[in-house]
């Protein structure tokens, strides 16, 4: 009888009295005390038990006496906000709500926006893979007809696993043997080198650590500026289109680090504005990169496993698969060429040319390599020369030469035993000229 009465009373109680108040959310992105964050970005927090909606507040005051963003009724755990404040410290917090009431606010996180729209990181060096529109490990499967601008190759699998014809490729089809499509070229050693360069490029992109910008989930509907973007899980463009805005920089660079898979659903597009160029966009995908029907994508895809493209999808970039295949269905892939405006293999005074700088050998290297250079012309018996090595932050890590050098050819050894793996820049300066190149240390 007692239990029956209690049940009757419970049934008569309002639902709000039966539902527990939600727990306070835990904040995710941007991370607490992070710097150099975009002035427009996604805010991500973890779901709270019993939550029906959330309130997000962003302020320039730690006590939230005024806000630059204050919105309740958010049903998702992410919100894209255009703050439009440069070089400013902000604070943000979230609380959860349901019919029973509100939770306490989460602990407050802070972040500081960048001072201006940057050019982004240094580009990823692709080596011999640069000329390939498609380079795969096991196979290229294809539902005809596709249109490929750039070279195509498979290695180490047999050329018999290349499912493209020469009529579909504006470029050269390379195979490891004579079993490739009609008109293909057998070049196993070159393909081995190119595949090795993909691995180097993949590791370079995955290993960048300077001022990463955290992203998560669906990035459709957002505008992203040049920078290094890091996702610790899957990433997708599944609702809304993505815009990459170069901020007026023709040499703007984007690197996307994606821990697992990347998925772009049918009909979605990536738009490039204000100087953005596909040649300077890199998608480092831990596993599978997949693209739905009629998608339009830009940039070099460095996939840890495979790249799959559904019917009529377009890629203005490269499909590079480290350990598996590339799958096509009546697709268009256009190799965008070398990175735009970012080459550091330059001489600031092209008319004089009293110094030259050779590519180091071997490259990649561990832990030592040799750098060659020449000094002087008939007008200079000797010149003061400075040859130094820098990391990607521009910090000088070694000085190899700093003094007068006689005219002629010279070599110098560089021992990087004390340095970490990664990309480095070596630069020679003499007679008002400057020449730089990149080298890769792999330990």
């Amino acid at each position: 009888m007692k239990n029956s009465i209690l049940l009757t009373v419970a049934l008569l109680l309002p639902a709000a009295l039966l539902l527990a108040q939600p727990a306070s959310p835990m904040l995710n992105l941007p991370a607490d005390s992070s710097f150099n964050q975009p002035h427009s970005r996604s805010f991500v927090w973890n779901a709270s038990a019993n939550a029906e909606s959330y309130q997000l507040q962003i302020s320039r005051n730690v006590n939230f006496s005024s806000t630059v963003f204050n919105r309740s009724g958010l049903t998702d755990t992410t919100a894209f906000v255009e703050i439009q404040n440069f070089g400013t410290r902000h604070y943000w917090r979230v609380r959860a709500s349901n019919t029973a009431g509100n939770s306490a606010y989460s602990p407050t996180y802070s972040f500081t926006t960048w001072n201006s729209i940057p050019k982004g990181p240094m580009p990823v060096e692709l080596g011999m893979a640069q000329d390939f529109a498609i380079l795969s490990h096991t196979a290229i499967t294809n539902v005809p007809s596709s249109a490929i601008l750039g070279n195509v190759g498979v290695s180490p699998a047999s050329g018999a696993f290349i499912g493209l014809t020469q009529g579909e490729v504006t470029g050269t089809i390379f195979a490891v043997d004579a079993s490739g499509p009609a008109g293909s070229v057998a070049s196993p050693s070159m393909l081995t080198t190119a595949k090795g360069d993909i691995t180097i490029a993949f590791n370079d992109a995955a290993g960048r650590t300077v001022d990463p910008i955290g992203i998560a989930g669906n990035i459709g509907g957002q505008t992203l500026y040049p920078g290094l973007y890091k996702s610790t899980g899957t990433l997708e463009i599944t609702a809304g289109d993505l815009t990459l805005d170069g901020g007026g920089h023709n040499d703007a660079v984007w690197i996307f680090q994606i821990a697992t898979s990347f998925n772009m659903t049918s009909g979605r597009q990536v738009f490039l504005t204000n100087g953005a160029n596909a040649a300077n966009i890199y998608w480092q995908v831990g596993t599978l990169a997949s693209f739905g029907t009629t998608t339009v994508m830009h940039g070099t895809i460095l996939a840890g496993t495979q790249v799959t493209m559904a019917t009529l999808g377009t890629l203005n970039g490269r499909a590079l698969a480290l350990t598996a295949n590339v799958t096509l269905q009546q697709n268009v892939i256009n190799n965008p060429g070398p990175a735009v405006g970012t080459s550091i293999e330059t001489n600031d005074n092209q008319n004089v040319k009293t110094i030259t700088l050779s590519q180091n050998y071997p490259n990649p290297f561990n832990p030592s390599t040799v750098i060659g250079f020449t000094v002087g012309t008939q007008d200079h018996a000797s010149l003061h020369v400075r040859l130094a090595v820098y990391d990607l932050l521009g910090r000088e890590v070694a000085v190899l030469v700093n003094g007068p050098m006689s005219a002629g050819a010279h070599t110098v050894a560089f021992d990087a035993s004390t340095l970490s793996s990664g990309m480095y820049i070596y630069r020679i300066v003499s007679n008002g000229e400057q020449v730089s190149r990149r080298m890769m240390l792999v330990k």
Side-chain angles (χ1 to χ4, degrees):
M1 182 70 176
K2 181 178 180 181
N3 290 338
S4 176
I5 294 173
L6 291 175
L7 177 61
T8 301
V9 171
L11 291 174
L12 294 174
L13 288 173
L17 298 180
L18 297 176
L19 184 65
Q21 285 189 344
S24 296
M26 295 298 296
L27 304 186
N28 190 345
L29 298 172
D32 191 22
S33 302
S34 55
F35 290 90
N36 203 34
Q37 296 297 299
H39 60 291
S40 300
R41 63 154 303 137
S42 285
F43 292 78
V44 182
W45 56 92
N46 296 330
S48 297
N50 301 318
E52 295 175 347
S53 65
Y54 300 91
Q55 180 180 6
L56 167 64
Q57 290 187 333
I58 305 170
S59 176
R60 291 194 292 270
N61 306 310
V62 70
N63 60 3
F64 291 86
S65 57
S66 63
T67 59
V68 296
F69 185 89
N70 186 2
R71 184 172 299 172
S72 58
L74 299 171
T75 57
D76 199 357
T77 56
T78 182
F80 183 76
V81 181
E82 297 187 8
I83 303 171
Q84 300 301 330
N85 295 124
F86 287 90
T88 306
R89 190 174 186 182
H90 292 76
Y91 303 88
W92 70 291
R93 63 185 184 180
V94 177
R95 69 177 177 181
S97 302
N98 63 18
T99 53
N102 300 320
S103 72
Y105 278 106
S106 66
T108 297
Y109 277 14
S110 70
F111 65 96
T112 302
T113 53
W114 52 33
N115 292 321
S116 61
I117 297 174
K119 293 184 179 181
M122 293 290 292
V124 176
E125 180 62 57
L126 298 175
M128 293 191 70
Q130 176 177 277
D131 294 331
F132 283 84
I134 303 173
L135 190 51
S136 169
H137 187 79
T138 56
I140 300 173
T141 63
N142 177 45
V143 177
S145 291
S146 293
I148 312 300
L149 176 62
N151 295 338
V152 169
V154 170
S155 175
S158 166
F161 292 97
I162 301 176
L164 287 163
T165 65
Q166 191 62 63
E168 295 175 284
V169 178
T170 303
T172 303
I173 300 176
F174 290 101
V176 299
D177 52 31
S179 66
S184 63
V185 175
S187 185
S189 60
M190 185 277 291
L191 284 171
T192 298
T193 301
K195 280 297 301 302
D197 287 345
I198 293 179
T199 300
I200 292 171
F202 181 92
N203 291 335
D204 174 25
R208 301 291 183 94
T209 59
V210 179
D211 293 329
I213 301 164
I215 51 176
N218 172 51
I219 56 174
Q222 300 184 20
T223 297
L224 300 182
Y225 298 89
L228 172 65
Y229 292 86
K230 184 178 182 67
S231 170
T232 58
T234 61
L235 198 67
E236 57 191 39
I237 303 176
T238 53
D241 297 321
L242 174 66
T243 298
L244 301 182
D245 188 325
H249 303 302
N250 292 328
D251 53 356
V253 174
W254 290 257
I255 297 177
F256 293 88
Q257 298 173 340
I258 306 168
T260 53
S261 63
F262 176 75
N263 177 39
M264 189 173 180
T265 53
S266 297
R268 299 273 67 89
Q269 297 188 52
V270 173
F271 293 99
L272 306 183
T273 63
N274 293 332
N277 192 295
N280 290 12
I281 303 167
Y282 307 89
W283 304 83
Q284 178 266 316
V285 184
T287 55
L288 165 68
S290 60
F291 303 89
T293 59
T294 67
T295 51
V296 178
M297 181 60 164
H298 297 273
T300 295
I301 312 300
L302 293 158
T305 56
Q306 65 187 105
V307 180
T308 64
M309 298 188 67
T311 307
L312 301 179
T314 297
L315 170 61
N316 184 22
R318 304 173 181 88
L320 308 177
L322 269 70
T323 62
N325 63 308
V326 174
T327 300
L328 308 176
Q329 297 183 46
Q330 298 176 313
N331 301 123
V332 174
I333 300 181
N334 295 319
N335 184 315
V340 177
T342 54
S343 174
I344 62 169
E345 186 180 332
T346 59
N347 188 315
D348 287 350
N349 189 338
Q350 298 297 325
N351 295 322
V352 181
K353 293 184 178 177
T354 55
I355 55 171
T356 64
L357 184 63
S358 300
Q359 186 64 53
N360 65 299
Y361 181 84
N363 187 44
F365 67 98
N366 178 28
S368 61
T369 188
V370 175
I371 298 170
F373 60 95
T374 62
V375 177
T377 67
Q378 59 184 358
D379 299 323
H380 298 85
S382 67
L383 289 172
H384 187 280
V385 174
R386 193 175 197 276
L387 175 61
V389 180
Y390 304 85
D391 63 17
L392 291 181
L393 287 176
R395 297 176 298 199
E396 187 175 272
V397 298
V399 177
L400 307 182
V401 177
N402 189 19
M405 298 291 293
S406 60
H410 302 269
T411 59
V412 61
F414 172 48
D415 188 335
S417 300
T418 61
L419 299 179
S420 302
S421 296
M423 187 76 70
Y424 291 87
I425 299 165
Y426 58 104
R427 178 177 297 124
I428 190 169
V429 180
S430 181
N431 196 38
E433 300 173 56
Q434 175 177 293
V435 188
S436 301
R437 288 183 181 269
R438 300 185 191 93
M439 57 184 171
M440 174 65 75
L441 172 62
V442 179
K443 291 187 174 180

